[in-house]
């Protein structure tokens, strides 16, 4: 129901399913370096030049990490290159060793186009993987980039304005002057708005802003940032049997993130070598910054692509309160800071999750986003 894979329902594969092409070691600097990155990301002992990234267990989220790691190594290729040539030796032929933006983590999803680039912002979980499949369905004549989640301060909790300011150099390195165009999904869209606020203060122009089901809360959240992140951890553990899941859910209501992860380790829900504590700490910091942010009224227009189904069915939810009032409005609460005329609303089938992870719904979203983008001023 929630669109996630129920691994326990899968039949055990036959021995033939493990058959691979005859192993041949990587050749040349590019193949060898890519093979090392693949092996680390996919958790395999060796990668041959005939191996397929996705057949070895790769997926969209790992593809984002692959692009980032390759960029750090000075390799230039796009997400489209990876999907079109997932075999190691074929992908190596698409790699260029040209100078890259020095800002770490910027993902080049599409390299060319006649219009100004579109910058996608990561979600409130720091996830850019949604961009890859969405862009595959888009018909837009512009370069497309995924912006990085900046490195938050480990000493003090940053504000959303401070987080936005850290992203500006990466944007400027790709496009030094406006007009700028942005898109953000879920609470990542609020970060996109804060980035626009910063650029407007520098007398720049923001000509396009796409919100993908982005809600502007009318009142403070009923949960603390720690509880919100504990809920995120529980969502990743939903395939667990009821007894263990209910145990962790009760524990999560009054525990820290580290304590919940430790408890999950103890009952075998998370492998001993699997530790995402730092990632969850950053999510907590981001949620704290979101709660403190007060969105100002900006002289821009936004496109709100809202999910037609506002229901939320998730057994990981710690807060069972009724749906926030802004979720019943296509504007999702943004009419409190912008005029109704400045908000263009477009319905997308599905709920907040399935509008993106169900292929038919995502195709509708991609086409609607492309139309809005192509009709925007350049």
């Amino acid at each position: 129901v929630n669109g996630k894979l129920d691994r326990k329902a899968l039949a055990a594969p036959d021995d033939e399913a493990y058959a691979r092409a005859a192993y041949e070691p990587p050749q040349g600097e590019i193949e060898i370096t890519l093979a090392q990155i693949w092996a680390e990301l996919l958790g395999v002992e060796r990668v041959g030049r005939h191996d397929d990234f996705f057949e070895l267990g790769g997926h969209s989220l790992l593809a984002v990490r692959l692009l980032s790691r390759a960029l750090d190594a000075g390799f230039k290729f796009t997400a489209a290159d990876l999907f079109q040539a997932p075999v190691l030796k074929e992908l190596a032929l698409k790699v260029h060793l040209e100078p890259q933006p020095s800002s770490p983590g910027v993902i080049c999803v599409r390299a060319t186009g006649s219009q100004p680039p579109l910058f996608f912002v990561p979600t409130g979980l720091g996830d850019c993987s949604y961009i890859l499949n969405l862009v595959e369905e888009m018909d837009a004549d512009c370069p497309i980039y995924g912006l990085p989640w900046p490195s938050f301060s480990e000493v003090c909790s940053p504000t959303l304005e401070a987080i936005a300011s850290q992203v500006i150099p990466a944007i400027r390195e790709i496009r030094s002057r406006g007009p700028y165009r942005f898109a953000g999904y879920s609470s990542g869209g609020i970060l996109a708005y804060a980035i626009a606020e910063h650029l407007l203060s520098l007398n720049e122009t923001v000509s396009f802003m796409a919100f993908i089901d982005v809600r502007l809360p009318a009142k403070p959240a009923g949960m603390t940032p720690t509880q919100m992140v504990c809920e995120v951890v529980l969502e990743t553990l939903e395939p667990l049997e009821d007894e263990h899941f209910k145990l962790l859910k009760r524990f999560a209501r009054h525990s820290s993130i580290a304590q919940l992860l430790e408890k999950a380790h103890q009952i075998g829900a998370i492998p001993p070598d699997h530790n995402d504590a730092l990632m969850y700490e950053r999510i907590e910091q981001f949620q704290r910054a979101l709660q403190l942010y007060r969105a100002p009224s900006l002289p821009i227009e936004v496109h709100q692509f809202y999910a037609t189904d506002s229901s939320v069915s998730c057994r990981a939810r710690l807060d069972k309160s009724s749906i926030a009032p802004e979720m019943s409005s296509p504007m999702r609460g943004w009419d409190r800071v912008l005029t109704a005329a400045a908000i263009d609303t477009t319905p997308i089938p599905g709920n907040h999750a399935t509008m993106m992870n169900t292929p038919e719904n995502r195709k509708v979203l991609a086409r609607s986003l492309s139309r809005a983008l192509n009709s925007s001023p350049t």
Side-chain angles (χ1 to χ4, degrees):
V1 174
N2 61 19
K4 295 182 179 179
L5 183 64
D6 183 1
R7 296 184 182 277
K8 292 183 179 180
L10 296 175
D14 297 328
D15 290 342
E16 294 179 359
Y18 295 107
R20 296 184 187 176
Y23 175 76
E24 184 178 342
Q27 299 177 8
E29 177 189 356
I30 295 176
E31 286 189 18
I32 292 173
T33 303
L34 285 177
Q36 291 172 342
I37 297 173
W38 285 24
E40 293 174 11
L41 292 178
L42 299 171
V44 297
E45 291 186 7
R46 68 178 188 180
V47 175
R49 65 193 312 254
H50 299 295
D51 284 336
D52 184 298
F53 179 78
F54 297 104
E55 290 181 1
L56 290 181
H59 48 73
S60 295
L61 186 56
L62 284 177
V64 170
R65 294 174 62 186
L66 170 61
L67 288 165
S68 179
R69 292 282 297 277
L71 191 65
D72 293 341
F75 292 176
K76 177 183 180 182
F77 62 92
T78 68
D81 292 331
L82 176 60
F83 281 105
Q84 293 166 7
V87 175
L88 182 69
K89 70 172 185 177
E90 296 173 358
L91 179 61
L93 296 176
K94 294 181 175 290
V95 171
H96 301 283
L97 300 177
E98 299 176 359
Q100 296 299 300
S102 59
S103 300
V106 176
I107 304 299
C108 178
V109 184
R110 181 179 294 168
T112 60
S114 62
Q115 298 180 9
L118 175 64
F119 294 97
F120 276 94
V121 179
T123 70
L125 305 181
D127 180 17
C128 281
S129 63
Y130 78 92
I131 305 170
L132 304 184
N133 289 328
L134 182 61
V135 172
E136 282 289 299
E137 303 284 354
M138 287 179 61
D139 179 22
D141 186 20
C142 66
I144 296 177
Y145 296 91
L147 291 174
W149 233 24
S151 56
F152 304 162
S153 168
E154 297 180 0
V155 179
C156 60
S157 296
T159 63
L160 199 66
E161 292 90 340
I163 295 172
S165 68
Q166 292 183 53
V167 185
I168 300 299
I171 298 170
R172 293 278 208 184
E173 191 168 347
I174 294 169
R175 185 173 177 84
S176 60
R177 297 298 304 272
Y180 291 102
R181 311 201 291 181
F182 298 99
Y185 174 38
S186 192
S187 55
I190 303 179
L191 176 57
Y193 193 80
I195 292 171
E197 177 187 357
H198 189 99
L199 287 169
L200 290 171
S201 72
L202 300 175
N203 294 320
E204 291 289 359
T205 302
V206 176
S207 62
F208 183 80
M209 177 65 72
F211 287 164
I212 304 174
D213 210 44
V214 178
R215 177 175 69 95
L216 185 65
K219 60 181 181 179
M223 295 191 298
T224 67
T226 299
Q227 289 173 323
M228 290 179 180
V229 180
C230 283
E231 194 173 272
V232 172
V233 176
L234 288 173
E235 287 180 9
T236 68
L237 301 175
E238 282 192 337
L240 283 176
E241 59 189 43
D242 284 345
E243 181 181 353
H244 281 165
F245 189 84
K246 289 178 180 178
L247 170 66
L248 290 175
K249 188 171 181 178
R250 288 195 301 269
F251 190 79
R253 295 184 185 279
H254 307 288
S255 71
S256 67
I257 300 166
Q259 289 171 335
L260 177 60
L261 292 173
E262 178 60 29
K263 191 69 172 179
H265 282 305
Q266 291 175 0
I267 67 173
I270 298 177
D273 59 346
H274 186 79
N275 189 357
D276 289 325
L278 181 59
M279 177 189 74
Y280 289 125
E281 287 174 8
R282 296 183 68 201
I283 295 173
E284 181 183 18
Q285 285 186 313
F286 186 79
Q287 292 298 324
R288 201 174 302 280
L290 280 178
Q291 288 192 352
L292 295 174
Y293 182 65
R294 298 294 176 262
S297 177
L298 298 180
I300 63 173
E301 295 182 358
V302 302
H303 296 266
Q304 177 74 270
F305 301 91
Y306 68 95
T308 54
D309 181 4
S310 60
S311 64
V312 179
S313 177
C314 174
R315 67 173 182 155
R317 293 187 70 197
L318 297 177
D319 182 10
K320 297 293 186 180
S321 59
S322 60
I323 296 175
E326 60 268 10
M327 290 304 292
S328 62
S329 166
M331 297 184 187
R332 293 296 193 259
W334 287 92
D335 50 329
R336 295 198 311 276
V337 296
L338 300 171
T339 65
I343 307 172
D344 182 80
T345 58
T346 303
I348 305 296
N351 61 28
H352 186 72
T354 60
M355 70 183 298
M356 187 66 75
N357 59 31
T358 299
E360 310 86 69
N361 297 345
R362 185 173 61 241
K363 185 173 292 187
V364 175
L365 171 60
R367 291 175 178 173
S368 300
L369 179 55
S370 297
R371 283 195 297 270
L373 190 65
N374 291 331
S375 62
S376 69
T378 58

